[in-house]
Amino acid sequence: MLSTLFTNDVRQTMDQFRRSVDQMFDNFYGQSLPVGSTASGDRTWTFSPVVELGWNDQYLNLRAILPGVAEKDVHVSVQNNQLVIEGERKAPEGFDKNAFTQMAYGKFYTALNLPTGLDVDHVSCHLQNGILDIQVPIMEASKPKQIKIQTGEDRKSTRLNSSHITI
């Protein structure tokens, strides 16, 4: 699971770096193509939401930061053992292209690889005040089990007599 977390962290860091470089060139050379756009004008996605996660004995807990996003504008699904969060953050009414913002508006998308041992049929989501909380239950078979350690006093040792071994 840690390798998955590391991979996602690297991907998010690279996305953030790419957005910073794009913004720098936008400031020097005027508006370029929107992030996630192609030269033909097809717009796929604009940004990846910030995601954090942690776990306990019962659940993998994920939190996506989505300020200003309504419940109807976000979709969560599990596809090919990936948790997919996608949707759209709409610009406020009256917000035109001459405004300054450091917030990203438009379509967003992120896909997180889920570790094995999760019950993806019982994922729950809750969106409140721009925070999307997601809980994925851990299957009983994947939970840690305590194993009793036996001492030498409980078992009799078996001794081999080297004179009875033939080769």
Side-chain angles (χ1 to χ4, degrees):
M1 179 152 56
L2 290 177
S3 65
T4 302
L5 298 175
F6 179 74
T7 302
N8 289 332
D9 188 42
V10 168
R11 187 184 61 78
Q12 285 182 334
T13 301
M14 294 303 292
D15 283 348
Q16 187 176 17
F17 174 74
R18 179 187 43 78
R19 286 191 303 268
S20 297
V21 170
D22 287 345
Q23 185 178 10
M24 179 183 71
F25 282 108
D26 285 348
N27 291 339
F28 286 118
Y29 299 109
Q31 188 66 22
S32 64
L33 289 173
V35 177
S37 294
T38 62
S40 65
D42 298 334
R43 190 170 196 162
T44 54
W45 57 275
T46 305
F47 67 97
S48 290
V50 175
V51 178
E52 58 187 6
L53 61 91
W55 60 93
N56 57 30
D57 292 340
Q58 303 298 319
Y59 297 98
L60 173 67
N61 299 301
L62 296 104
R63 176 172 280 173
I65 311 302
L66 300 169
V69 176
E71 179 183 347
K72 65 180 176 56
D73 295 328
V74 63
H75 306 284
V76 178
S77 61
V78 176
Q79 303 170 10
N80 299 324
N81 211 38
Q82 286 188 324
L83 181 78
V84 176
I85 304 169
E86 59 188 328
E88 184 174 3
R89 180 185 304 146
K90 297 176 182 168
E93 195 172 311
F95 205 77
D96 61 9
K97 63 182 177 182
N98 293 325
F100 172 77
T101 182
Q102 291 185 334
M103 300 269 300
Y105 292 101
K107 293 184 180 185
F108 58 85
Y109 176 90
T110 191
L112 305 164
N113 291 326
L114 295 173
T116 58
L118 297 178
D119 185 0
V120 296
D121 294 328
H122 295 97
V123 176
S124 66
C125 300
H126 181 72
L127 179 66
Q128 184 174 1
N129 297 328
I131 307 292
L132 176 66
D133 284 314
I134 303 169
Q135 283 192 329
V136 186
I138 298 173
M139 289 193 292
E140 196 63 38
S142 298
K143 293 180 182 176
K145 293 174 182 57
Q146 187 66 32
I147 300 172
K148 183 180 177 185
I149 300 173
Q150 297 179 357
T151 63
E153 299 169 2
D154 294 337
R155 299 181 62 160
K156 293 183 180 182
S157 63
T158 305
R159 290 191 152 175
L160 293 176
N161 188 341
S162 61
S163 62
H164 296 300
I165 300 176
T166 56
I167 301 181

